[in-house]
């Protein structure tokens, strides 16, 4: 299919403003600024049905309209902290098409009447940060950012803010705390950022990919956007395909494309044509699916109906022969490492999950441990201060449902009986 | 004053970008780390003065973030991603290969101060796994052969350009 989000990726010097302009760049910004009122931009994005690409799929236009009337200043924050294992799509946009990201931020800032926007870039992404900084300088020099942009009287500055290695700062309230110069502890919601966000002012936080869709919607219209995807999940999505497939990569597809099409047509099938054992369809927090779910369409509703979530659209493929206990343990250790330690269900619950999984993988587990894992999940899910608690239980519960035999094999034989384990010794 | 005029000016300029100067905390710590190789009590003192807060507070914030180093590292910090997508494509054997080639374990620095080997959580490069980062740079779709080439290249680079930062970070 035609590419939109990735249309400039692969074009030589795609990160330079001359190339971006020669391919129609900043026309949407000009159009929004000179022919549309801010509210008209909000209405357009609302009617396009665009949903947040950062994980939760929340309708973007609706989020923007939660900003209370008459309260200023407001801020727009672009969440570029991309850290959910499996997810690597925002980095592709920032490195290859930073001006598309900036154009999206500019139009969205105008829509919510913000004059200062921040891009919180994951600390490790040096090239992304450099490309964005350079792009901001280019856009400023050409009058697309700064004071009195294109003679409209509207001012906007964009600041690149680099993180320093903390996955939890991708969670929107932790991101704000971190941007205020503190430890990246999540905050209780409500208040939601739209009413009380950065410096306690109304703040809209959107993911990089979400914002990159906005110039396209201004350019081609809401009807065009809705002509792709499904009724409730309209439009296009970047899918980061990784794991045991022949051609991993970041692919742009309409929402609703079957999982099988992504894996077989785009990904070239599995390594050594092994049968699929498990698929994590939306980043590491998404519950695992099985080979029986391969015909599920990749949209928010269908993946939820199959028992998982579309999340960030990061699809990790695991083939037969790989030990699921080792997979789950690896993920839970990640969460234990990244947990902020602020609330007791999160801190204790995740640490205990990690300890029990370690014991099971080492062949020292007991059958009661499986119920214990589920008990801990019950104590964690819905009870933690931030949504990380819910994220953690996804892999544990789903693996116990679909791959209980892998756990039992460890417990009964005292060792791993699969050819491949992902444990790092 | 262990921090250069240039660093001072750079931070002043960054502070201006934010409505509240405390927001310059991470950029300030990044500058301090770049200047000294890792974070020292003087760094916390400097950042605290620049941002109008206390050194204890700065140290507490710094302790939250893994990229802010509290100990010196070798000239080349090698971080191997061991998260799921990389591990499914052999991160463990790459790590073993690096251990063997460098003669050190994870968390250690080679005696010549050239290489520090660590593991890292998902680097956001999962579709080009397995991946490692050396200082700021990403190396993707790694194989043991590719690692040998990279190490040889880094050794050549270190041998040719005399850099006074070679030793374990000095303060
Ligand atoms: C633990 C955790 C980590 C998250 N990490 C990210 C991230 O790296 N990038 C991102 O855009 N959203 C992340 N989110 C989602 C954000 O909290 C927020 O929902 C999102 O940035 C909103 O943008 P959107 O509406 O455009 O999707 C994370 C959420 C949680 C709970
Ligand atoms: S669940 Fe609790 S401890 Fe864990 S990251 Fe969220 S707030 Fe912090
Ligand atoms: S799992 Fe290694 S880069 Fe994401």
């Amino acid at each position: 299919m035609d590419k939109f989000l990735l249309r400039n990726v692969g074009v030589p010097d795609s990160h330079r403003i001359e190339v971006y302009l020669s391919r129609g760049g900043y026309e949407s910004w000009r159009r929004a600024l000179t022919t549309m009122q801010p509210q008209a931009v909000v209405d357009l994005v609302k009617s396009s049905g665009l949903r947040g690409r950062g994980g939760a799929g929340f309708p973007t236009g609706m989020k923007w309209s939660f900003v209370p009337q008459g309260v200023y200043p407001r801020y727009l924050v672009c969440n570029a902290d991309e850290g959910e294992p499996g997810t690597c799509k925002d980095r592709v946009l920032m490195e290859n098409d930073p001006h598309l990201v900036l154009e999206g931020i500019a139009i969205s800032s105008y829509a919510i009447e913000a004059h200062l926007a921040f891009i919180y870039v994951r600390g490790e992404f040096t090239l992304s940060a450099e490309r964005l900084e350079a792009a901001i300088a280019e856009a400023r020099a050409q009058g697309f950012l700064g004071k009195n942009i294109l003679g409209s009287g509207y001012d906007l500055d964009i600041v690149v803010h680099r993180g320093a290695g903390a996955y939890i700062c991708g969670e929107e309230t932790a991101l704000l705390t971190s941007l205020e110069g503190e430890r990246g502890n999540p905050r209780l919601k409500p208040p939601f950022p739209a009413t009380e966000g950065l410096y306690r002012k109304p703040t809209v936080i959107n993911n990089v990919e979400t914002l990159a869709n906005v110039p396209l919607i201004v350019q081609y219209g809401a009807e065009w956007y809705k002509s792709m995807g499904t009724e409730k999940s309209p439009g296009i999505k970047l899918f980061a395909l990784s794991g045991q497939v022949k051609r991993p990569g970041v692919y742009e597809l309409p929402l609703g494309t079957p999982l099988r099409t992504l894996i077989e047509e785009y990904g070239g099938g599995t390594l050594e044509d092994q049968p699929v054992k498990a698929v994590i369809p939306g980043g590491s927090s998404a519950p695992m699916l099985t080979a029986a779910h391969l015909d599920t369409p990749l949209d928010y509703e269908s993946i939820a109906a199959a028992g998982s979530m579309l999340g960030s659209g990061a699809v990790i493929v695991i083939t037969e022969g790989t030990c699921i206990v080792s997979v789950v343990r690896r993920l839970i250790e990640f969460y234990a490492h990244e947990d902020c330690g602020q609330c007791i269900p999160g801190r204790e619950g995740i640490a205990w999950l990690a300890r029990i999984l370690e014991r099971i993988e080492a062949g020292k587990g007991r059958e009661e441990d499986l119920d214990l894992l589920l008990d801990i999940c019950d104590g964690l899910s819905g009870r933690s201060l931030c949504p990380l608690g819910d994220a953690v239980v996804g892999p544990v519960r789903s693996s116990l449902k679909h791959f209980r035999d892998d756990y039992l094999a460890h417990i009964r034989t005292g060792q791993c009986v699969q050819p491949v384990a992902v444990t790092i010794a | 004053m262990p921090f250069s005029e240039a660093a001072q000016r750079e931070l002043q300029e960054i502070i201006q970008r934010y409505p509240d100067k405390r927001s310059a905390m991470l950029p300030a710590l990044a500058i301090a780390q770049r200047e000294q190789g890792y974070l020292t009590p003087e760094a916390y003192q400097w950042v605290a003065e620049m941002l109008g807060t206390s050194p204890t507070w700065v140290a507490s914030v710094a302790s939250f973030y893994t990229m802010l180093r509290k100990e010196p590292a070798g000239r080349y910090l090698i971080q191997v991603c061991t998260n799921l997508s990389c591990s499914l494509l052999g991160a463990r054997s790459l790590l073993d290969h690096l251990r063997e080639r460098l003669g050190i374990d994870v968390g250690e620095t080679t005696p010549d101060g050239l290489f520090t080997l660590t593991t890292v959580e998902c680097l956001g490069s999962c579709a080009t796994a397995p991946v490692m980062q050396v200082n700021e740079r990403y190396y993707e779709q790694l194989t043991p052969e590719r690692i040998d080439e990279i190490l040889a290249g880094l050794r050549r680079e270190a041998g040719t350009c005399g850099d006074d930062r070679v030793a374990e970070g000095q303060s």
Side-chain angles (χ1 to χ4, degrees), chain B residues 26-42:
Chain B
L26 293 182
L29 287 163
I31 292 172
Q33 173 158 303
R34 194 193 62 209
E35 292 272 304
Q36 298 194 314
Y38 66 106
L39 294 172
T40 59
E42 296 85 68

Side-chain angles (χ1 to χ4, degrees), chain A residues 75 85-88 91 116 118 122-126 161 164-165 168-169 178-185 199 241-244 248-249 271 280 316-318 327 330-331 334 337-338 422-425, chain B residues 17-20 22-27 57 59-68 79 82-85 87-89 91-92 95-96 99 119-128 133 136 138 140:
Chain A
Y75 300 107
T87 315
C88 50
R91 179 172 158 243
L116 184 55
F118 294 93
R122 194 181 160 163
E124 289 87 346
F125 287 180
T126 303
H161 184 92
I168 194 60
C169 292
S178 174
L179 186 46
E180 289 174 0
E182 299 190 21
R183 294 165 69 86
N185 287 335
Y199 313 123
L241 179 66
S242 72
Q244 290 157 321
L271 285 181
I280 302 178
I316 308 173
V317 177
I318 299 161
V327 167
R330 184 65 274 270
L331 292 179
F334 162 73
H337 180 254
E338 299 296 331
V422 299
T423 319
I424 299 287
Chain B
R17 299 178 190 170
Y18 299 94
D20 179 334
R22 296 265 187 100
S23 283
M25 181 71 83
L26 293 182
W57 173 251
S60 152
V61 174
S63 70
F64 193 85
Y65 299 92
T66 51
M67 284 176 67
L68 298 173
Q79 308 197 77
T82 58
N83 213 301
L84 184 55
S85 303
S87 288
L88 285 168
L89 297 182
R92 175 156 94 186
L95 194 60
D96 287 342
R99 278 188 179 117
T119 57
V120 68
E121 292 297 359
C122 175
L123 285 169
S125 198
C126 326
T128 46
Q133 194 175 15
E136 311 262 301
Y138 275 65
E140 299 163 69

Side-chain angles (χ1 to χ4, degrees), chain A residues 168 185-186 338-347 350 380 384-389:
Chain A
I168 194 60
N185 287 335
E338 299 296 331
D339 184 58
C340 89
Q342 188 182 207
C343 78
I344 293 167
R347 187 179 61 224
I350 299 170
L380 189 51
S384 55
L385 188 150
C386 91
L388 188 83

Side-chain angles (χ1 to χ4, degrees), chain B residues 40-86:
Chain B
T40 59
E42 296 85 68
Y44 299 141
Q45 183 69 39
W46 179 68
V47 172
E49 277 165 23
M50 296 291 285
L51 303 187
T53 175
S54 77
T56 325
W57 173 251
V58 177
S60 152
V61 174
S63 70
F64 193 85
Y65 299 92
T66 51
M67 284 176 67
L68 298 173
R69 284 192 303 280
K70 290 86 200 174
E71 284 163 16
R75 171 161 174 174
Y76 297 110
L77 176 63
I78 301 180
Q79 308 197 77
V80 181
C81 173
T82 58
N83 213 301
L84 184 55
S85 303
C86 287

Side-chain angles (χ1 to χ4, degrees), chain A residues 52-55 63 79 81-83 167-168 170-172 205-207 210 387-388:
Chain A
R53 306 297 192 226
K63 184 186 270 191
N79 189 340
D81 197 41
E82 185 160 70
Y167 160 75
I168 194 60
E171 193 281 325
E172 56 186 15
I205 305 172
N206 278 127
N207 169 259
T210 310
L388 188 83

